[in-house]
Amino acid sequence: MNELERQAGPADVAGAAEVAEVVGVAEAAGVIGPRAATGARAERAVTEEESRVLADRVRDESGDSATYRRLIATEDHEELADVLGAPQHPLWAREIAAFRLGCAGDRRAFETLVLLLNHRDAQRCLSASHALAVLGDPRTPRAAAALATNVLRTAYALHPVRLLADLRAPESVPALIATLERLLAPNETHWRVALACVEGLGRLGDRRALPLLRSARAHPRLSAAASEALRRLG
């Protein structure tokens, strides 16, 4: 077990098994269509900002080490991939390598990014989510859906849910509906994840979500977002 798996949290035994199954499946249909030039420029700008945020966050964790500076600067994908394949590297090094490879479109980053997407550190989840969206690996929607719907990992499902809405994949609406349905139960505490589901379903505009969104209006913390989602669905 490497450091990434040890740090992910006590409930990860089941979660990692489910992710491992997802990682081994590559048959999911195309996810993200070609982007317009303006969209590509905007994406590059966001990626540059995310890279800066990651570098600033990891600098202290790494002690601003020579290894940190090398991994931030290198353009050698083989060097970055070697970090992912060597379990002795610290988590911050694996995160840098996976993020940079993912943003460069190198699918060797996929497995590590999926594990980071479900990490207990929200900032690591956010970075992984961005890199997965840029990577465009066809396995991503199924992996994100598995993480979002895993009842043992609900506390860490916020970024998988948001990623599903961004991907607009065939898996997105069913996974968001299943997750939100469970989170509308009385005394459910993960209202931020529920809110992300409501907002995502509103953006996706699929009328299959109408009954559940109507139910969500009865929840004070979800009411405004559910009403807006219903308005968007007509």
Side-chain angles (χ1 to χ4, degrees):
M1 180 181 292
N2 60 42
E3 184 179 355
L4 173 55
E5 292 164 338
R6 287 197 300 271
Q7 289 196 23
D12 270 357
V13 175
E18 188 166 4
V19 170
E21 178 183 357
V22 170
V23 165
V25 178
E27 81 280 8
V31 186
I32 303 173
R35 295 176 175 86
T38 55
R41 285 196 296 272
E43 182 179 89
R44 282 196 297 272
V46 172
T47 296
E48 288 170 2
E49 175 62 15
E50 292 288 343
S51 298
R52 184 192 64 76
V53 170
L54 172 64
D56 289 346
R57 172 169 55 82
V58 175
R59 182 181 293 111
D60 290 340
E61 185 178 356
S62 70
D64 197 17
S65 66
T67 300
Y68 159 81
R69 293 194 296 272
R70 187 179 73 253
L71 292 178
I72 287 293
T74 185
E75 298 300 329
D76 185 346
H77 286 195
E78 296 306 317
E79 181 179 7
L80 294 170
D82 286 345
V83 172
L84 297 184
Q88 73 270 18
H89 284 291
L91 178 58
W92 58 261
R94 293 167 62 80
E95 181 183 8
I96 293 172
F99 179 87
R100 297 202 62 211
L101 286 172
C103 290
D106 191 320
R107 291 186 179 180
R108 287 177 290 183
F110 175 76
E111 288 86 350
T112 300
L113 288 173
V114 169
L115 289 170
L116 287 167
L117 180 65
N118 199 226
H119 198 272
R120 61 188 177 186
D121 185 330
Q123 292 304 309
R124 287 196 157 105
C125 296
L126 181 59
S127 293
S129 177
H130 177 78
L132 283 166
V134 175
L135 177 61
D137 191 298
R139 295 169 291 178
T140 299
R142 183 168 174 173
L147 296 175
T149 57
N150 187 335
V151 297
L152 297 176
R153 302 297 296 166
T154 303
Y156 311 106
L158 180 62
H159 291 289
V161 163
R162 288 176 174 169
L163 179 58
L164 283 167
D166 289 340
L167 293 175
R168 295 180 173 272
E171 294 87 347
S172 296
V173 170
L176 294 188
I177 287 176
T179 302
L180 179 58
E181 188 172 33
R182 173 166 47 84
L183 296 180
L184 292 183
N187 303 318
E188 175 56 57
T189 60
H190 299 296
W191 64 269
R192 289 182 179 83
V193 178
L195 180 60
C197 289
V198 169
E199 293 171 342
L201 289 169
R203 288 171 53 201
L204 292 169
D206 192 308
R207 297 183 68 81
R208 286 177 291 176
L210 283 172
L212 201 56
L213 291 172
R214 293 188 184 109
S215 298
R217 283 188 301 188
H219 293 248
R221 284 172 164 161
L222 307 179
S223 181
S227 296
E228 173 60 18
L230 287 166
R231 186 193 65 77
R232 296 179 70 167
L233 267 66

